[in-house]
Amino acid sequence: MLAFAIFVATLVLVIWQPRGLGIGWSALGGAAVALATGVVDWGDVDTVWHIVWDATFTFVALIIISLILDEAGFFAWAALHIARWGNGRGRLLFPLIVMLGAMIAALFANDGAALLLTPIVIAILARLDFRPGAALAFIIATGFVADSTSLPLIISNLVNIVSANYFDIGFTRYAQVMVPVDLVSLIATLVVLGWYFRREIPGQYDVERLEAPASAIRDHHVFRAAFPLLLVLLAALFLTTRWEVPFAIIMGSAALILMAIAGRWFTAGHVHVISLKRVIRNAPWQIVLFSLGMYLVVYGLGNAWLTARAADVLVWLSQQGTIVATVGTGFASAILASLMNNMPSTLIGALAIDQADVAQQTQQLMVYANVIGNDLGPKFTPIGSLATLLWLHVLAGKGYRIGWGQYMKVGLVITPPVLLATLLALALWLPVLPAP
């Protein structure tokens, strides 16, 4: 009960953020209480740090890359091209925006897709003079697809990085499993969102209202470097998988290279277009503190009772067949994530799967199902992920206020069918792949 009380109090502070209290400080406070009361010990600190350090710094590096590219106009350029490809047809523009969100989520993580693309989409919709209902359909679709298609690569979601590191899954193997599964998730997302917002999507819009995509580019040096850098980065992630090079080193190197280009470190006499100070200041440093602190709190809760109970549930699911085990694990993870946030839920799921006495293939299915559940599960409720809470805050600042009731009304309708289709795809695809 003490471990549970510490967890609840910490989670409340993280969500509430009284007087602007950072999520990292709230999580560290909870961890300090857990240490002081004996819920966790200093040995657990070393264990948790070993689990989270690579994922956390990889995520920070990825967001720095995203912020620099955003400052350079990279995402606005892409969005304007997409809007022009829609050729004035709203029912073509809608899936194109969704697919753009999926591509950004794959390469720049779900947070980058939701938080960086959403303001750009809002600006484009305002220029096209979309009515509020239509604009809201595009905005919600952008936020939803950021999570529902954050499956294909390890770097596509912090949840993916933590899970892959915990179970020693290489970058190539993870992509072999999850790229086809992510395509199913994308198709299901397109179908469900298209059906749900079918009455809101406008038939026509005026392409002439849009600026030329080239006008969005603010830093041509960074823009020209973006494509070759991303190709080299992806190649490095695939090629280094056999040597188990930490993702943080690869992503950190790419971030430093892009910072050098943006800061003109090796070019004298050029005006800086991008403020690296602002980029560094806006990087998610609180996530570093949050990852260590919150995971310590959850580790203590898991040691107390939750991991053992969750493992018992997984063993029972494994006895019902692989389909039930996969779907059951995914939905259980999704529900847990929607109630306690997907970051602590991911660790609880990983610990339980590691402890559960199940067949090897079933365990593999459960590992990936846990990822899917924690990637998509946050869409059930606003507290499912910190990115969703921040996304809602960004929308409010742009004049689009989405209440929790309105959010859940949409989330509870569109999430289950996409989650089910994705988990079934996993259950059918993984068994036909050669063993790693």
mmCIF file of all heavy atoms in Angstrom, residues 203-249:
data_model
loop_
_atom_site.group_PDB
_atom_site.id
_atom_site.type_symbol
_atom_site.label_atom_id
_atom_site.label_comp_id
_atom_site.label_asym_id
_atom_site.label_seq_id
_atom_site.Cartn_x
_atom_site.Cartn_y
_atom_site.Cartn_z
ATOM 1 N N GLY A 203 -15.278 19.166 -48.847
ATOM 2 C CA GLY A 203 -15.096 18.611 -50.181
ATOM 3 C C GLY A 203 -14.015 19.314 -50.972
ATOM 4 O O GLY A 203 -13.238 18.681 -51.691
ATOM 5 N N GLN A 204 -13.947 20.639 -50.847
ATOM 6 C CA GLN A 204 -13.011 21.420 -51.643
ATOM 7 C C GLN A 204 -12.295 22.459 -50.777
ATOM 8 O O GLN A 204 -12.787 22.848 -49.720
ATOM 9 C CB GLN A 204 -13.757 22.146 -52.777
ATOM 10 C CG GLN A 204 -14.528 21.230 -53.726
ATOM 11 C CD GLN A 204 -13.626 20.381 -54.589
ATOM 12 O OE1 GLN A 204 -12.543 20.835 -54.958
ATOM 13 N NE2 GLN A 204 -14.057 19.157 -54.905
ATOM 14 N N TYR A 205 -11.119 22.897 -51.245
ATOM 15 C CA TYR A 205 -10.428 24.032 -50.638
ATOM 16 C C TYR A 205 -9.622 24.738 -51.723
ATOM 17 O O TYR A 205 -9.348 24.155 -52.790
ATOM 18 C CB TYR A 205 -9.528 23.596 -49.477
ATOM 19 C CG TYR A 205 -8.395 22.664 -49.842
ATOM 20 C CD1 TYR A 205 -7.136 23.150 -50.176
ATOM 21 C CD2 TYR A 205 -8.578 21.285 -49.845
ATOM 22 C CE1 TYR A 205 -6.096 22.304 -50.503
ATOM 23 C CE2 TYR A 205 -7.548 20.431 -50.173
ATOM 24 C CZ TYR A 205 -6.305 20.939 -50.503
ATOM 25 O OH TYR A 205 -5.273 20.094 -50.833
ATOM 26 N N ASP A 206 -9.246 25.961 -51.465
ATOM 27 C CA ASP A 206 -8.580 26.797 -52.461
ATOM 28 C C ASP A 206 -7.065 26.693 -52.317
ATOM 29 O O ASP A 206 -6.476 27.250 -51.376
ATOM 30 C CB ASP A 206 -9.031 28.257 -52.300
ATOM 31 C CG ASP A 206 -8.480 29.155 -53.400
ATOM 32 O OD1 ASP A 206 -7.803 28.637 -54.302
ATOM 33 O OD2 ASP A 206 -8.732 30.371 -53.340
ATOM 34 N N VAL A 207 -6.421 25.987 -53.233
ATOM 35 C CA VAL A 207 -4.979 25.795 -53.184
ATOM 36 C C VAL A 207 -4.231 27.122 -53.328
ATOM 37 O O VAL A 207 -3.126 27.297 -52.791
ATOM 38 C CB VAL A 207 -4.528 24.807 -54.282
ATOM 39 C CG1 VAL A 207 -3.014 24.635 -54.277
ATOM 40 C CG2 VAL A 207 -5.209 23.457 -54.102
ATOM 41 N N GLU A 208 -4.837 28.071 -54.029
ATOM 42 C CA GLU A 208 -4.168 29.347 -54.287
ATOM 43 C C GLU A 208 -3.927 30.151 -53.011
ATOM 44 O O GLU A 208 -3.138 31.100 -53.006
ATOM 45 C CB GLU A 208 -4.992 30.178 -55.276
ATOM 46 C CG GLU A 208 -5.146 29.534 -56.645
ATOM 47 C CD GLU A 208 -3.804 29.208 -57.286
ATOM 48 O OE1 GLU A 208 -2.890 30.053 -57.186
ATOM 49 O OE2 GLU A 208 -3.666 28.110 -57.846
ATOM 50 N N ARG A 209 -4.603 29.795 -51.929
ATOM 51 C CA ARG A 209 -4.398 30.491 -50.660
ATOM 52 C C ARG A 209 -3.058 30.119 -50.008
ATOM 53 O O ARG A 209 -2.617 30.796 -49.081
ATOM 54 C CB ARG A 209 -5.521 30.153 -49.675
ATOM 55 C CG ARG A 209 -6.875 30.781 -50.005
ATOM 56 C CD ARG A 209 -7.924 30.266 -49.039
ATOM 57 N NE ARG A 209 -9.195 30.950 -49.172
ATOM 58 C CZ ARG A 209 -9.575 32.000 -48.454
ATOM 59 N NH1 ARG A 209 -8.760 32.469 -47.531
ATOM 60 N NH2 ARG A 209 -10.746 32.557 -48.646
ATOM 61 N N LEU A 210 -2.449 29.039 -50.470
ATOM 62 C CA LEU A 210 -1.234 28.529 -49.832
ATOM 63 C C LEU A 210 0.011 29.202 -50.381
ATOM 64 O O LEU A 210 0.107 29.497 -51.572
ATOM 65 C CB LEU A 210 -1.129 27.012 -50.049
ATOM 66 C CG LEU A 210 -2.230 26.151 -49.442
ATOM 67 C CD1 LEU A 210 -2.123 24.721 -49.960
ATOM 68 C CD2 LEU A 210 -2.139 26.172 -47.920
ATOM 69 N N GLU A 211 0.996 29.399 -49.493
ATOM 70 C CA GLU A 211 2.284 29.913 -49.930
ATOM 71 C C GLU A 211 3.047 28.818 -50.681
ATOM 72 O O GLU A 211 2.729 27.628 -50.583
ATOM 73 C CB GLU A 211 3.130 30.353 -48.728
ATOM 74 C CG GLU A 211 2.477 31.395 -47.833
ATOM 75 C CD GLU A 211 1.749 30.770 -46.664
ATOM 76 O OE1 GLU A 211 1.293 29.601 -46.810
ATOM 77 O OE2 GLU A 211 1.613 31.426 -45.631
ATOM 78 N N ALA A 212 4.052 29.209 -51.418
ATOM 79 C CA ALA A 212 4.931 28.237 -52.058
ATOM 80 C C ALA A 212 5.733 27.517 -50.981
ATOM 81 O O ALA A 212 6.192 28.142 -50.018
ATOM 82 C CB ALA A 212 5.876 28.950 -53.025
ATOM 83 N N PRO A 213 5.892 26.197 -51.075
ATOM 84 C CA PRO A 213 6.642 25.457 -50.041
ATOM 85 C C PRO A 213 8.033 26.010 -49.775
ATOM 86 O O PRO A 213 8.496 26.032 -48.634
ATOM 87 C CB PRO A 213 6.708 24.041 -50.626
ATOM 88 C CG PRO A 213 5.501 23.939 -51.491
ATOM 89 C CD PRO A 213 5.322 25.301 -52.090
ATOM 90 N N ALA A 214 8.704 26.506 -50.832
ATOM 91 C CA ALA A 214 10.061 27.031 -50.655
ATOM 92 C C ALA A 214 10.102 28.229 -49.726
ATOM 93 O O ALA A 214 11.135 28.485 -49.088
ATOM 94 C CB ALA A 214 10.645 27.417 -52.014
ATOM 95 N N SER A 215 8.975 28.953 -49.608
ATOM 96 C CA SER A 215 8.941 30.130 -48.737
ATOM 97 C C SER A 215 9.040 29.763 -47.266
ATOM 98 O O SER A 215 9.335 30.613 -46.423
ATOM 99 C CB SER A 215 7.653 30.930 -48.979
ATOM 100 O OG SER A 215 6.508 30.182 -48.566
ATOM 101 N N ALA A 216 8.779 28.490 -46.930
ATOM 102 C CA ALA A 216 8.827 28.051 -45.532
ATOM 103 C C ALA A 216 10.250 27.792 -45.054
ATOM 104 O O ALA A 216 10.503 27.722 -43.847
ATOM 105 C CB ALA A 216 7.986 26.785 -45.341
ATOM 106 N N ILE A 217 11.191 27.632 -45.987
ATOM 107 C CA ILE A 217 12.566 27.299 -45.611
ATOM 108 C C ILE A 217 13.257 28.526 -45.033
ATOM 109 O O ILE A 217 13.380 29.553 -45.694
ATOM 110 C CB ILE A 217 13.355 26.779 -46.829
ATOM 111 C CG1 ILE A 217 12.651 25.555 -47.426
ATOM 112 C CG2 ILE A 217 14.782 26.427 -46.422
ATOM 113 C CD1 ILE A 217 13.259 25.079 -48.735
ATOM 114 N N ARG A 218 13.734 28.415 -43.797
ATOM 115 C CA ARG A 218 14.377 29.533 -43.114
ATOM 116 C C ARG A 218 15.898 29.391 -43.067
ATOM 117 O O ARG A 218 16.614 30.368 -43.023
ATOM 118 C CB ARG A 218 13.826 29.661 -41.684
ATOM 119 C CG ARG A 218 12.336 29.946 -41.626
ATOM 120 C CD ARG A 218 11.836 30.100 -40.197
ATOM 121 N NE ARG A 218 12.516 31.193 -39.524
ATOM 122 C CZ ARG A 218 13.316 31.040 -38.476
ATOM 123 N NH1 ARG A 218 13.558 29.824 -37.989
ATOM 124 N NH2 ARG A 218 13.881 32.083 -37.901
ATOM 125 N N ASP A 219 16.374 28.177 -43.046
ATOM 126 C CA ASP A 219 17.822 27.937 -43.013
ATOM 127 C C ASP A 219 18.152 26.925 -44.104
ATOM 128 O O ASP A 219 17.926 25.718 -43.946
ATOM 129 C CB ASP A 219 18.251 27.415 -41.644
ATOM 130 C CG ASP A 219 19.764 27.360 -41.487
ATOM 131 O OD1 ASP A 219 20.437 26.961 -42.450
ATOM 132 O OD2 ASP A 219 20.269 27.724 -40.407
ATOM 133 N N HIS A 220 18.682 27.408 -45.230
ATOM 134 C CA HIS A 220 18.935 26.535 -46.375
ATOM 135 C C HIS A 220 20.081 25.566 -46.116
ATOM 136 O O HIS A 220 20.096 24.458 -46.670
ATOM 137 C CB HIS A 220 19.213 27.385 -47.618
ATOM 138 C CG HIS A 220 18.006 28.095 -48.135
ATOM 139 N ND1 HIS A 220 17.157 27.543 -49.076
ATOM 140 C CD2 HIS A 220 17.473 29.308 -47.823
ATOM 141 C CE1 HIS A 220 16.176 28.381 -49.344
ATOM 142 N NE2 HIS A 220 16.330 29.461 -48.589
ATOM 143 N N HIS A 221 21.035 25.953 -45.281
ATOM 144 C CA HIS A 221 22.137 25.045 -44.949
ATOM 145 C C HIS A 221 21.611 23.797 -44.235
ATOM 146 O O HIS A 221 21.942 22.666 -44.595
ATOM 147 C CB HIS A 221 23.162 25.755 -44.057
ATOM 148 C CG HIS A 221 24.008 26.750 -44.774
ATOM 149 N ND1 HIS A 221 23.552 28.003 -45.100
ATOM 150 C CD2 HIS A 221 25.292 26.673 -45.238
ATOM 151 C CE1 HIS A 221 24.512 28.666 -45.720
ATOM 152 N NE2 HIS A 221 25.574 27.888 -45.815
ATOM 153 N N VAL A 222 20.791 24.006 -43.229
ATOM 154 C CA VAL A 222 20.222 22.886 -42.479
ATOM 155 C C VAL A 222 19.281 22.081 -43.359
ATOM 156 O O VAL A 222 19.283 20.847 -43.325
ATOM 157 C CB VAL A 222 19.490 23.403 -41.218
ATOM 158 C CG1 VAL A 222 18.706 22.280 -40.553
ATOM 159 C CG2 VAL A 222 20.491 24.002 -40.233
ATOM 160 N N PHE A 223 18.483 22.773 -44.154
ATOM 161 C CA PHE A 223 17.515 22.079 -45.008
ATOM 162 C C PHE A 223 18.226 21.145 -45.991
ATOM 163 O O PHE A 223 17.821 19.996 -46.162
ATOM 164 C CB PHE A 223 16.664 23.101 -45.758
ATOM 165 C CG PHE A 223 15.598 22.476 -46.622
ATOM 166 C CD1 PHE A 223 14.387 22.090 -46.074
ATOM 167 C CD2 PHE A 223 15.821 22.254 -47.981
ATOM 168 C CE1 PHE A 223 13.398 21.501 -46.860
ATOM 169 C CE2 PHE A 223 14.840 21.669 -48.773
ATOM 170 C CZ PHE A 223 13.631 21.296 -48.218
ATOM 171 N N ARG A 224 19.276 21.637 -46.627
ATOM 172 C CA ARG A 224 19.998 20.795 -47.594
ATOM 173 C C ARG A 224 20.697 19.623 -46.912
ATOM 174 O O ARG A 224 20.883 18.570 -47.518
ATOM 175 C CB ARG A 224 21.015 21.647 -48.364
ATOM 176 C CG ARG A 224 20.395 22.562 -49.412
ATOM 177 C CD ARG A 224 21.461 23.123 -50.341
ATOM 178 N NE ARG A 224 22.392 23.984 -49.641
ATOM 179 C CZ ARG A 224 22.245 25.299 -49.513
ATOM 180 N NH1 ARG A 224 21.189 25.895 -50.054
ATOM 181 N NH2 ARG A 224 23.136 26.023 -48.869
ATOM 182 N N ALA A 225 21.068 19.803 -45.654
ATOM 183 C CA ALA A 225 21.756 18.724 -44.934
ATOM 184 C C ALA A 225 20.796 17.679 -44.386
ATOM 185 O O ALA A 225 21.212 16.562 -44.061
ATOM 186 C CB ALA A 225 22.567 19.311 -43.778
ATOM 187 N N ALA A 226 19.512 18.028 -44.294
ATOM 188 C CA ALA A 226 18.551 17.164 -43.606
ATOM 189 C C ALA A 226 18.428 15.793 -44.259
ATOM 190 O O ALA A 226 18.530 14.754 -43.582
ATOM 191 C CB ALA A 226 17.184 17.854 -43.552
ATOM 192 N N PHE A 227 18.225 15.748 -45.571
ATOM 193 C CA PHE A 227 17.976 14.468 -46.231
ATOM 194 C C PHE A 227 19.178 13.525 -46.191
ATOM 195 O O PHE A 227 19.027 12.359 -45.804
ATOM 196 C CB PHE A 227 17.513 14.710 -47.677
ATOM 197 C CG PHE A 227 16.152 15.358 -47.765
ATOM 198 C CD1 PHE A 227 16.042 16.712 -48.037
ATOM 199 C CD2 PHE A 227 15.003 14.621 -47.564
ATOM 200 C CE1 PHE A 227 14.799 17.315 -48.111
ATOM 201 C CE2 PHE A 227 13.756 15.216 -47.632
ATOM 202 C CZ PHE A 227 13.646 16.574 -47.909
ATOM 203 N N PRO A 228 20.373 13.975 -46.569
ATOM 204 C CA PRO A 228 21.522 13.048 -46.454
ATOM 205 C C PRO A 228 21.811 12.640 -45.014
ATOM 206 O O PRO A 228 22.194 11.489 -44.758
ATOM 207 C CB PRO A 228 22.688 13.840 -47.058
ATOM 208 C CG PRO A 228 22.255 15.255 -47.069
ATOM 209 C CD PRO A 228 20.778 15.234 -47.218
ATOM 210 N N LEU A 229 21.612 13.557 -44.073
ATOM 211 C CA LEU A 229 21.868 13.218 -42.669
ATOM 212 C C LEU A 229 20.902 12.142 -42.193
ATOM 213 O O LEU A 229 21.311 11.190 -41.505
ATOM 214 C CB LEU A 229 21.737 14.466 -41.793
ATOM 215 C CG LEU A 229 21.969 14.244 -40.285
ATOM 216 C CD1 LEU A 229 23.410 13.819 -40.030
ATOM 217 C CD2 LEU A 229 21.644 15.512 -39.493
ATOM 218 N N LEU A 230 19.629 12.253 -42.552
ATOM 219 C CA LEU A 230 18.638 11.256 -42.127
ATOM 220 C C LEU A 230 18.923 9.900 -42.763
ATOM 221 O O LEU A 230 18.775 8.857 -42.113
ATOM 222 C CB LEU A 230 17.229 11.724 -42.497
ATOM 223 C CG LEU A 230 16.704 12.927 -41.716
ATOM 224 C CD1 LEU A 230 15.353 13.381 -42.259
ATOM 225 C CD2 LEU A 230 16.588 12.604 -40.227
ATOM 226 N N LEU A 231 19.366 9.893 -44.024
ATOM 227 C CA LEU A 231 19.701 8.631 -44.681
ATOM 228 C C LEU A 231 20.901 7.965 -44.008
ATOM 229 O O LEU A 231 20.896 6.756 -43.761
ATOM 230 C CB LEU A 231 19.994 8.874 -46.161
ATOM 231 C CG LEU A 231 18.784 9.208 -47.039
ATOM 232 C CD1 LEU A 231 19.232 9.553 -48.464
ATOM 233 C CD2 LEU A 231 17.800 8.042 -47.072
ATOM 234 N N VAL A 232 21.911 8.750 -43.715
ATOM 235 C CA VAL A 232 23.098 8.202 -43.042
ATOM 236 C C VAL A 232 22.736 7.715 -41.639
ATOM 237 O O VAL A 232 23.218 6.662 -41.193
ATOM 238 C CB VAL A 232 24.214 9.266 -42.969
ATOM 239 C CG1 VAL A 232 25.361 8.796 -42.076
ATOM 240 C CG2 VAL A 232 24.730 9.579 -44.367
ATOM 241 N N LEU A 233 21.877 8.462 -40.956
ATOM 242 C CA LEU A 233 21.459 8.080 -39.609
ATOM 243 C C LEU A 233 20.736 6.737 -39.619
ATOM 244 O O LEU A 233 21.036 5.846 -38.807
ATOM 245 C CB LEU A 233 20.552 9.168 -39.027
ATOM 246 C CG LEU A 233 19.917 8.886 -37.664
ATOM 247 C CD1 LEU A 233 20.990 8.655 -36.607
ATOM 248 C CD2 LEU A 233 19.008 10.042 -37.241
ATOM 249 N N LEU A 234 19.791 6.568 -40.538
ATOM 250 C CA LEU A 234 19.063 5.299 -40.624
ATOM 251 C C LEU A 234 20.006 4.153 -40.978
ATOM 252 O O LEU A 234 19.910 3.057 -40.404
ATOM 253 C CB LEU A 234 17.941 5.399 -41.654
ATOM 254 C CG LEU A 234 16.685 6.164 -41.231
ATOM 255 C CD1 LEU A 234 15.707 6.283 -42.392
ATOM 256 C CD2 LEU A 234 16.011 5.470 -40.051
ATOM 257 N N ALA A 235 20.911 4.406 -41.917
ATOM 258 C CA ALA A 235 21.870 3.365 -42.286
ATOM 259 C C ALA A 235 22.736 2.974 -41.089
ATOM 260 O O ALA A 235 22.994 1.788 -40.850
ATOM 261 C CB ALA A 235 22.752 3.866 -43.440
ATOM 262 N N ALA A 236 23.164 3.961 -40.316
ATOM 263 C CA ALA A 236 23.996 3.689 -39.138
ATOM 264 C C ALA A 236 23.232 2.864 -38.109
ATOM 265 O O ALA A 236 23.791 1.946 -37.491
ATOM 266 C CB ALA A 236 24.470 5.003 -38.520
ATOM 267 N N LEU A 237 21.958 3.168 -37.924
ATOM 268 C CA LEU A 237 21.151 2.425 -36.951
ATOM 269 C C LEU A 237 21.012 0.955 -37.351
ATOM 270 O O LEU A 237 21.056 0.061 -36.500
ATOM 271 C CB LEU A 237 19.773 3.078 -36.814
ATOM 272 C CG LEU A 237 19.753 4.425 -36.084
ATOM 273 C CD1 LEU A 237 18.422 5.126 -36.278
ATOM 274 C CD2 LEU A 237 20.036 4.239 -34.602
ATOM 275 N N PHE A 238 20.854 0.709 -38.649
ATOM 276 C CA PHE A 238 20.745 -0.676 -39.116
ATOM 277 C C PHE A 238 22.095 -1.391 -39.091
ATOM 278 O O PHE A 238 22.190 -2.547 -38.668
ATOM 279 C CB PHE A 238 20.172 -0.705 -40.543
ATOM 280 C CG PHE A 238 18.683 -0.583 -40.611
ATOM 281 C CD1 PHE A 238 18.095 0.584 -41.048
ATOM 282 C CD2 PHE A 238 17.862 -1.644 -40.240
ATOM 283 C CE1 PHE A 238 16.715 0.711 -41.123
ATOM 284 C CE2 PHE A 238 16.482 -1.538 -40.307
ATOM 285 C CZ PHE A 238 15.902 -0.353 -40.749
ATOM 286 N N LEU A 239 23.155 -0.708 -39.534
ATOM 287 C CA LEU A 239 24.452 -1.361 -39.684
ATOM 288 C C LEU A 239 25.137 -1.638 -38.357
ATOM 289 O O LEU A 239 25.940 -2.574 -38.254
ATOM 290 C CB LEU A 239 25.363 -0.503 -40.566
ATOM 291 C CG LEU A 239 24.936 -0.377 -42.033
ATOM 292 C CD1 LEU A 239 25.835 0.610 -42.775
ATOM 293 C CD2 LEU A 239 24.954 -1.743 -42.726
ATOM 294 N N THR A 240 24.873 -0.831 -37.353
ATOM 295 C CA THR A 240 25.561 -0.999 -36.061
ATOM 296 C C THR A 240 24.827 -1.941 -35.116
ATOM 297 O O THR A 240 25.289 -2.162 -34.001
ATOM 298 C CB THR A 240 25.741 0.359 -35.364
ATOM 299 O OG1 THR A 240 24.455 0.976 -35.165
ATOM 300 C CG2 THR A 240 26.616 1.288 -36.193
ATOM 301 N N THR A 241 23.710 -2.505 -35.566
ATOM 302 C CA THR A 241 22.914 -3.327 -34.649
ATOM 303 C C THR A 241 23.680 -4.560 -34.174
ATOM 304 O O THR A 241 23.487 -5.022 -33.047
ATOM 305 C CB THR A 241 21.596 -3.745 -35.325
ATOM 306 O OG1 THR A 241 20.761 -4.417 -34.382
ATOM 307 C CG2 THR A 241 21.839 -4.669 -36.511
ATOM 308 N N ARG A 242 24.584 -5.086 -35.018
ATOM 309 C CA ARG A 242 25.321 -6.310 -34.635
ATOM 310 C C ARG A 242 26.328 -6.047 -33.531
ATOM 311 O O ARG A 242 26.753 -6.968 -32.837
ATOM 312 C CB ARG A 242 26.027 -6.889 -35.861
ATOM 313 C CG ARG A 242 27.161 -6.042 -36.399
ATOM 314 C CD ARG A 242 27.831 -6.701 -37.603
ATOM 315 N NE ARG A 242 26.904 -6.792 -38.730
ATOM 316 C CZ ARG A 242 27.225 -7.373 -39.888
ATOM 317 N NH1 ARG A 242 28.421 -7.920 -40.050
ATOM 318 N NH2 ARG A 242 26.354 -7.412 -40.871
ATOM 319 N N TRP A 243 26.757 -4.783 -33.398
ATOM 320 C CA TRP A 243 27.743 -4.440 -32.370
ATOM 321 C C TRP A 243 27.093 -3.854 -31.120
ATOM 322 O O TRP A 243 27.787 -3.477 -30.186
ATOM 323 C CB TRP A 243 28.758 -3.451 -32.931
ATOM 324 C CG TRP A 243 29.551 -4.032 -34.063
ATOM 325 C CD1 TRP A 243 30.437 -5.075 -34.007
ATOM 326 C CD2 TRP A 243 29.514 -3.624 -35.430
ATOM 327 N NE1 TRP A 243 30.958 -5.338 -35.243
ATOM 328 C CE2 TRP A 243 30.409 -4.449 -36.142
ATOM 329 C CE3 TRP A 243 28.810 -2.630 -36.133
ATOM 330 C CZ2 TRP A 243 30.617 -4.324 -37.522
ATOM 331 C CZ3 TRP A 243 29.022 -2.502 -37.496
ATOM 332 C CH2 TRP A 243 29.907 -3.335 -38.169
ATOM 333 N N GLU A 244 25.790 -3.774 -31.118
ATOM 334 C CA GLU A 244 25.033 -3.282 -29.958
ATOM 335 C C GLU A 244 25.523 -1.903 -29.492
ATOM 336 O O GLU A 244 25.700 -1.652 -28.304
ATOM 337 C CB GLU A 244 25.104 -4.286 -28.802
ATOM 338 C CG GLU A 244 24.482 -5.636 -29.157
ATOM 339 C CD GLU A 244 24.479 -6.606 -27.983
ATOM 340 O OE1 GLU A 244 25.015 -6.250 -26.919
ATOM 341 O OE2 GLU A 244 23.931 -7.719 -28.138
ATOM 342 N N VAL A 245 25.749 -1.022 -30.458
ATOM 343 C CA VAL A 245 26.126 0.353 -30.131
ATOM 344 C C VAL A 245 24.920 1.062 -29.527
ATOM 345 O O VAL A 245 23.812 0.988 -30.074
ATOM 346 C CB VAL A 245 26.584 1.116 -31.397
ATOM 347 C CG1 VAL A 245 26.945 2.563 -31.053
ATOM 348 C CG2 VAL A 245 27.760 0.396 -32.043
ATOM 349 N N PRO A 246 25.060 1.718 -28.379
ATOM 350 C CA PRO A 246 23.910 2.410 -27.783
ATOM 351 C C PRO A 246 23.293 3.416 -28.764
ATOM 352 O O PRO A 246 24.001 4.149 -29.454
ATOM 353 C CB PRO A 246 24.519 3.121 -26.572
ATOM 354 C CG PRO A 246 25.721 2.307 -26.221
ATOM 355 C CD PRO A 246 26.263 1.818 -27.528
ATOM 356 N N PHE A 247 21.982 3.432 -28.812
ATOM 357 C CA PHE A 247 21.279 4.350 -29.718
ATOM 358 C C PHE A 247 21.617 5.804 -29.383
ATOM 359 O O PHE A 247 21.650 6.658 -30.263
ATOM 360 C CB PHE A 247 19.767 4.132 -29.625
ATOM 361 C CG PHE A 247 19.330 2.759 -30.022
ATOM 362 C CD1 PHE A 247 18.667 1.940 -29.120
ATOM 363 C CD2 PHE A 247 19.576 2.281 -31.292
ATOM 364 C CE1 PHE A 247 18.259 0.664 -29.474
ATOM 365 C CE2 PHE A 247 19.177 1.001 -31.670
ATOM 366 C CZ PHE A 247 18.513 0.192 -30.754
ATOM 367 N N ALA A 248 21.848 6.076 -28.109
ATOM 368 C CA ALA A 248 22.131 7.454 -27.689
ATOM 369 C C ALA A 248 23.401 7.986 -28.350
ATOM 370 O O ALA A 248 23.484 9.180 -28.666
ATOM 371 C CB ALA A 248 22.261 7.525 -26.168
ATOM 372 N N ILE A 249 24.380 7.132 -28.566
ATOM 373 C CA ILE A 249 25.620 7.572 -29.206
ATOM 374 C C ILE A 249 25.366 7.932 -30.666
ATOM 375 O O ILE A 249 25.841 8.968 -31.173
ATOM 376 C CB ILE A 249 26.696 6.482 -29.086
ATOM 377 C CG1 ILE A 249 27.116 6.306 -27.623
ATOM 378 C CG2 ILE A 249 27.898 6.799 -29.969
ATOM 379 C CD1 ILE A 249 28.136 5.214 -27.397
#
